[in-house]
């Protein structure tokens, strides 16, 4: 946890020569919610309190909810205390929408109660569900980048309302790759749910991985 950190992330990624075009326009209905409530260098009850407060809101949406608790102490817990929660909603078509919140770093900002954080994280997830689309607002730019780097074929993805970060990212894609997206708005009446949707369409640049194995 911030500010002192002390953790480690192991990132693994398969090697791909090319990226295939995608057509991801039907997010489907929510079928289950999963999540993790984590706490380090604080009472283990913090995670349980977050889970209870989040479930009090999410149980009104659907019954299939499971939120794991993850408590660490001692050397393996890093150098700063704190707690947080990550929630994901999965649809029948494989779409995953996520939301995450964490407590303020020690000595910075107002102290946050675990009940308050759990409820706010649940509300953030419901906001993502309302916005809809096949990608949540945090990962919109990543989806658009992968579409840009795909083969010279048409890719389509349905997104919720574009975030300010995504709008600026589209300008960067135009500057770096000279690529323009076709943007079609879909009203809630057309999609029968949530907020306004945006259908993003582009033709990939045909980027290929040229790296060779060193011998």
């Amino acid at each position: 946890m911030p500010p002192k950190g002390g953790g480690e992330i192991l990132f693994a990624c398969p090697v791909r020569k090319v990226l295939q075009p995608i057509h991801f326009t039907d997010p489907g209905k929510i079928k289950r919610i999963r999540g993790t409530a984590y706490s380090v260098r604080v009472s283990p009850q913090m995670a349980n309190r977050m889970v209870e407060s989040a479930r009090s809101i999410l149980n009104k949406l659907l019954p299939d909810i499971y939120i794991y608790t993850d408590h660490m102490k001692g050397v393996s817990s890093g150098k700063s205390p704190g707690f947080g929660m990550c929630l994901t909603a999965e649809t029948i078509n494989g779409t995953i929408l996520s939301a995450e919140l964490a407590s303020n770093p020690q000595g910075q900002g107002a102290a946050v109660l675990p009940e308050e954080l759990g409820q706010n994280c649940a509300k953030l997830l419901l906001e993502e569900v309302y916005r809809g689309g096949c990608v949540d607002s945090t990962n919109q730019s990543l989806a658009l980048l992968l579409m840009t780097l795909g083969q010279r074929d048409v890719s389509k993805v349905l997104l919720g309302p574009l975030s300010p970060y995504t709008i600026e990212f589209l300008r960067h894609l135009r500057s770096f790759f000279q690529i323009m997206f076709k943007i079609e708005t879909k009203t809630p009446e057309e999609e029968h749910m949530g907020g306004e949707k945006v259908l993003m369409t582009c033709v990939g640049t045909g980027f290929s991985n040229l790296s060779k194995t060193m011998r």
Side-chain angles (χ1 to χ4, degrees):
M1 298 293 291
K4 296 181 181 178
E8 181 181 41
I9 295 174
L10 298 177
F11 175 73
C13 181
V15 177
R16 291 283 178 267
K17 185 170 178 63
V18 294
L19 295 174
Q20 299 302 320
I22 61 167
H23 288 261
F24 200 9
T25 57
D26 183 11
K29 294 184 177 180
I30 304 295
K31 68 175 181 180
R32 65 184 178 194
I33 291 176
R34 296 291 182 266
T36 302
Y38 55 89
S39 56
V40 294
R41 293 187 177 272
V42 294
S43 167
Q45 281 302 313
M46 293 290 197
N48 295 329
R49 288 162 64 183
M50 284 187 287
V51 171
E52 288 175 16
S53 61
R55 287 187 69 100
S56 68
I57 292 178
L58 297 175
N59 276 337
K60 300 171 186 175
L61 178 66
L62 77 171
D64 190 359
I65 300 170
Y66 199 93
I67 304 174
Y68 300 87
T69 56
D70 185 6
H71 175 71
M72 298 293 284
K73 58 184 178 181
V75 179
S76 58
S77 64
K79 299 177 181 177
S80 295
F83 53 89
M85 175 176 274
C86 177
L87 296 172
T88 58
E90 188 177 339
T91 73
I92 56 176
N93 290 346
T95 295
I96 295 178
L97 306 173
S98 65
E100 185 172 6
L101 265 185
S103 58
N104 292 324
Q106 189 178 26
Q108 299 179 25
V112 181
L113 290 172
E115 288 84 3
E116 186 182 351
L117 189 144
Q119 288 185 350
N120 288 341
C121 191
K123 290 175 182 176
L124 275 179
L125 183 67
L126 294 181
E127 173 70 19
E128 291 293 346
V129 171
Y130 176 80
R131 291 167 67 95
C134 298
V135 183
D136 59 42
S137 57
T138 308
N139 293 300
Q140 287 176 347
S141 56
L142 177 60
L144 298 179
L145 175 62
L146 295 176
M147 290 168 65
T148 300
L149 296 174
Q151 293 302 284
R152 294 183 185 278
D153 202 350
V154 177
S155 288
K156 291 185 178 183
V157 69
L158 186 71
L159 304 178
L162 298 181
S163 66
Y165 182 93
T166 304
I167 293 170
E168 191 62 37
F169 190 79
L170 284 168
R171 296 185 180 124
H172 289 320
L173 288 178
R174 184 180 61 185
S175 301
F176 281 87
F177 295 102
Q178 288 75 52
I179 194 164
M180 300 278 282
F181 279 78
K182 180 184 178 185
I183 303 175
E184 301 172 72
T185 56
K186 304 283 186 180
T187 62
E189 290 75 26
E190 291 178 71
E191 295 299 313
H192 307 296
M193 58 186 132
E196 287 191 351
K197 309 291 187 295
V198 183
L199 181 63
M200 306 292 289
T201 308
C202 80
V203 176
T205 56
F207 185 84
S208 180
N209 182 4
L210 300 175
S211 60
K212 300 275 194 303
T213 304
M214 298 295 291
R215 297 188 184 278

